[in-house]
Amino acid sequence: MLKSKTFLKKTRAGGVMKIVREHYLRDDIGCGATGCAACGGAHEGPALELQPQDPASSLCPRPHYLLPDTNVLLHQIVIAWRPGTWASVASSLRPPGSLETYVEQEQGENANDRNDRAIRVAAKWYNEHLKKMSAENQLEVIFITNDRKNKEKAIEEGIPAFTCEEYIKSLTANPELIDRLACLSEEGNEIESGKVIFSEHLPLSKLQQGIKSGTYLQGTFRASRENYLEATVWVHGDAEENKEIILQGLKNLNRAIHEDIVAVELFPKSQWVAPSSVVLHDEGQDEDDVEKEEERETILKTAVNEKMLKPTGRVVGIIKRNWRPYCGMLSKSDIKESRRHLFTPADKRIPRIRIETRQASALEGRRIIVAIDGWPRNSRYPNGHFVKNLGDAGDKETETEVLLLEHDVPHQPFSQAVLSFLPKMPWSITEKDMKYREDLRHLCVCSVDPPGCTDIDDALHCRELENGNLEVGVHIADVSHFIRPGNALDQESARRGTTVYLCEKRIDMVPELLSSNLCSLRCNVDRLAFSCIWEMSHNAEILKTRFTKSVINSKASLTYAEAQMRIDSATINDDTTTSLRGLNKLAKILKKQRIEKGALTLSSPEVRFHMDSETHDPIDLQTKELRETNSMVEEFMLLANISVAKKIHEEFSEHALLRKHPAPPPSNYEILVKAAKSKNLEIRTDTAKSLADSLDQAESPTFPYLNTLLRILATRCMMQAVYFCSGMDNDFHHYGLASPIYTHFTSPIRRYADVIVHRLLAVAIGADSAYPELTDKHKLADLCKNLNFRHKMAQYAQRASVAFHTQLFFKSKGIVSEEAYILFVRKNAIVVLIPKYGLEGTVFFEEKDKPKPRLVYDDEIPSLKIEDTVFHIFDKVKVRIMLDSSNLQHQKIRMSLVEPQIPGISTDISNMDINEPERKKMKLQK
């Protein structure tokens, strides 16, 4: 024992408690080197190699281990160190509590200096210890630090010490590692011009004082995808006013990067601006041309009325950087032999990054990962370093990897630790499984899903009871039976949060043995389920509700089209079809009741790709067709979710996991109301019911597609639905469904929220026991935060996958012309929707190196006048669609106006009646 402290503490009850604290040092911790006789079997866990691989260092020719200090570990961890050369802090550094290397903090010594000294003591101990172990091999430990004073002290104490840069440059066999060094100092790597562009960031202490006094506001920085000179800051806290602050101009953005936590200073009202309607992308190659940026900033200013002005400010400091490794491509410098190049991230919200690399020629045309190191005041762009080469741009595997990384989708194979918690095969239902479970294998249960679905979460049944009423059951895969709380499988599922569906790939939340086999409610096999069973009248009135764990045996796995065919067929009258007809009849009544309460029927164009069976390239693109059976399944899923939400909230008022959909603020509807008004229609938005009714009435006999367009636009006005813990919120209402309470219960194979809801429901009906985390509202709130993030990222990843496959489709299709409708008008562009492909795109009217047309933008109507032609929202136009591959980094679908004809603007399609691949084919035939 090193020392002991004793003190007395008064308890709340008024008593006195004696507390003794003793500090012990251990003598049983090994050095970590395999075969060390001095340490014997003391070492546990990962071990160092007896003979480290020779990294061919010109500075350290002898075999050696590396011992980095804390800052090197934090900043340089991405460097590809060879295995066996770390004397890893985690596994082999003698911990400060071991006898020979314990260091007491000296008087006047700060914590940082004490830590530096502790690492030097450990390095010295290692070198002496390794000499005893292997005198002939002369193994040594090299201390790596970027702290000048720490290095000097280490050399004085006889410890071989180098900076990270010195050591990496000495690795003659791996010169490419130099590119992966992080820039250490923001100031030390500045552009030669030295002209200060940005104002200095205030220190954290001043920011905290300013936030406390109300001088500054703290919030999350959100960069714009459409305009690189504009961003918004979402202010943290409950204050209703100044919730969203606009930042315009490079200097006011002041080196903040998307998702950073920043402090902003609010400008006086006289300096407030309106959100810009211009679309601006950073296409400049010259990183020092700030004057041009200032010219572009004047374009942002829009003449507007006072109502449109929003709180405006500037970034005064960064509270927390939320940088991550970014995927993108190298924009090679035009200067021959230059080592300094610009990297263009795939995410348009991230600025370009300056990196130094000797591999520019090899990396050109490839997707790479780059990390940001810092952003000096006199640099137009942040500094960074190369991390990894992902593969060729445009390659399907590479692009899929990019979109998964960019949207932070966990997609690594499941680890052995996770897989070890799966049931052993062959699996069968045991007597123990049947405890607290009802046998419902006699019921005529069936599932209805999209074609090719293997993760079948839900199945249904409907039968007539002896009393003349109907029994309807929703049977959901009992995933929580296989995923037990707190184990590695549970933790990984919680981290992933959701299954992500890409066009050709599914990233499962749970291993395939569960998702496509043991939990999937396939036909003609016994499966464990969680059933929600109602007794209903023929008018869909719920008379009784009960919940039970069950065993089912599905009699049919149908697609929506197959189920529809059975319902419509006059000749098929088996039990499954009779059940489907009963379900369909009740679903129509349930939907009518929901809509009468004010539930919204919105629209979003969804597309389906038809793939070539050999190349897996998209050969056709169609909007998804919805049948009655889609609606039938949806109605019973909604009903089950509402019934379960009520039950778990009754039982656990403080820690039920629920889902809410907040009502949008009135300002969100402005664009919808204005668009409808331009077509002489009125949309009322005071309640969900009035919105639903006015959307139903908004019909035009001469323009049948108008109602769909209004519903698409209404969808854009909505807020995001979110998971929350009932004990942390008062507003439970689901605006879109017009339901006072709602949750997710019906898809536990693909959503972790449903697994938690299953556990809560099982405890509520006495079929399972609770555990501490399930009844801790703070832990549940943290879980909801991760689930909301994962769901949002999954949506974005799915959209990115659709966008990439759409590009592949038009690459083979060539140039086509199609009818489109205007969804939005901007200051210099129109955003259009092409119903045939469910495709959205922007038609720009200002192009580089072309004469600028006369544009007049009116935000009130809204409209855009180009020369003498005026465009309004929902106007019908004809556009030319083609894939623009001129920028490999951002290959995009380019759209140009064909009709109406505007001289100098519209594209002449007389030469484009055949697409590019056809033209090539004809040339070959000649």
Side-chain angles (χ1 to χ4, degrees), residues 183-202:
C183 301
L184 299 176
S185 156
E186 290 201 358
E187 308 308 320
N189 209 341
E190 292 177 354
I191 313 167
E192 286 73 10
S193 69
K195 183 185 174 187
V196 174
I197 302 167
F198 300 102
S199 58
E200 198 169 351
H201 286 151
L202 297 179

Side-chain angles (χ1 to χ4, degrees), residues 344-362:
T344 307
D347 187 342
K348 288 185 179 175
R349 295 169 301 187
I350 307 299
R352 292 175 167 207
I353 301 164
R354 281 196 302 127
I355 68 166
E356 287 196 27
T357 178
R358 296 154 180 75
Q359 307 173 64
S361 299

Side-chain angles (χ1 to χ4, degrees), residues 270-507:
S270 59
Q271 293 178 38
W272 286 11
V273 298
S276 171
S277 303
V278 74
V279 180
L280 277 182
H281 293 148
D282 182 7
E283 288 166 357
Q285 260 289 4
D286 187 355
E287 47 192 281
D288 298 329
D289 206 349
V290 180
E291 282 76 14
K292 274 194 180 174
E293 303 290 359
E294 287 167 6
E295 270 175 45
R296 298 192 91 177
E297 282 173 26
T298 57
I299 304 168
L300 300 180
K301 309 288 180 278
T302 311
V304 288
N305 62 33
E306 274 193 30
K307 275 196 297 184
M308 296 181 67
L309 298 176
K310 295 272 164 78
T312 308
R314 69 182 184 102
V315 171
V316 291
I318 310 291
I319 293 162
K320 183 173 180 273
R321 287 289 194 191
N322 274 325
W323 296 341
R324 58 178 174 83
Y326 300 103
C327 300
M329 290 180 73
L330 197 70
S331 304
K332 198 178 165 196
S333 170
D334 295 334
I335 303 163
K336 207 178 175 187
E337 301 299 317
S338 173
R339 292 203 317 231
R340 182 175 284 166
H341 308 274
L342 277 177
F343 163 83
T344 307
D347 187 342
K348 288 185 179 175
R349 295 169 301 187
I350 307 299
R352 292 175 167 207
I353 301 164
R354 281 196 302 127
I355 68 166
E356 287 196 27
T357 178
R358 296 154 180 75
Q359 307 173 64
S361 299
L363 296 177
E364 211 176 358
R366 297 176 81 80
R367 292 281 190 186
I368 62 172
I369 296 177
V370 159
I372 295 178
D373 301 322
W375 195 339
R377 287 174 61 198
N378 59 354
S379 170
R380 167 67 184 82
Y381 297 111
N383 294 327
H385 64 275
F386 165 72
V387 175
K388 189 180 178 185
N389 182 349
L390 292 172
D392 289 329
D395 173 71
K396 209 180 291 184
E397 287 297 313
T398 304
E399 295 301 335
T400 302
E401 179 74 7
V402 167
L403 76 87
L404 290 171
L405 288 168
E406 277 299 292
H407 296 99
D408 198 8
V409 175
H411 59 286
Q412 300 75 18
F414 289 99
S415 68
Q416 278 308 117
V418 169
L419 298 174
S420 69
F421 287 97
L422 292 174
K424 302 290 175 276
M425 296 302 283
W427 174 85
S428 61
I429 296 168
T430 64
E431 265 184 55
K432 190 184 170 190
D433 295 334
M434 290 304 294
K435 200 179 179 187
Y436 308 117
R437 207 175 278 279
E438 250 181 82
D439 192 339
L440 302 179
R441 284 175 280 199
H442 61 284
L443 294 176
C444 186
V445 171
C446 70
S447 62
V448 184
D449 290 282
C453 178
T454 60
D455 52 344
I456 303 170
D457 285 290
D458 53 88
L460 300 152
H461 89 271
C462 175
R463 64 172 179 166
E464 195 158 341
L465 298 171
E466 288 175 7
N467 62 8
N469 291 329
L470 295 170
E471 180 187 83
V472 176
V474 165
H475 311 277
I476 305 300
D478 189 5
V479 179
S480 62
H481 173 84
F482 297 97
I483 301 180
R484 301 311 294 163
N487 67 24
L489 176 56
D490 182 45
Q491 288 169 359
E492 181 62 17
S493 306
R495 185 175 80 92
R496 293 185 178 218
T498 180
T499 292
V500 182
Y501 294 90
L502 306 180
C503 290
E504 273 192 284
K505 196 174 186 176
R506 190 179 78 200
I507 313 295

Side-chain angles (χ1 to χ4, degrees), residues 660-715:
K660 68 171 181 176
H661 182 215
S667 58
N668 278 32
Y669 286 125
E670 280 175 14
I671 187 74
L672 175 67
V673 173
K674 284 179 183 176
K677 197 177 173 185
S678 72
K679 297 293 177 206
N680 300 315
L681 295 168
E682 186 192 2
I683 297 287
R684 298 181 306 283
T685 61
D686 44 325
T687 64
K689 173 78 175 141
S690 60
L691 174 63
D693 290 345
S694 52
L695 282 171
D696 287 342
Q697 290 155 18
E699 297 282 354
S700 168
T702 57
F703 188 1
Y705 197 65
L706 177 64
N707 191 264
T708 306
L709 287 169
L710 282 166
R711 290 181 195 276
I712 289 169
L713 208 52
T715 308

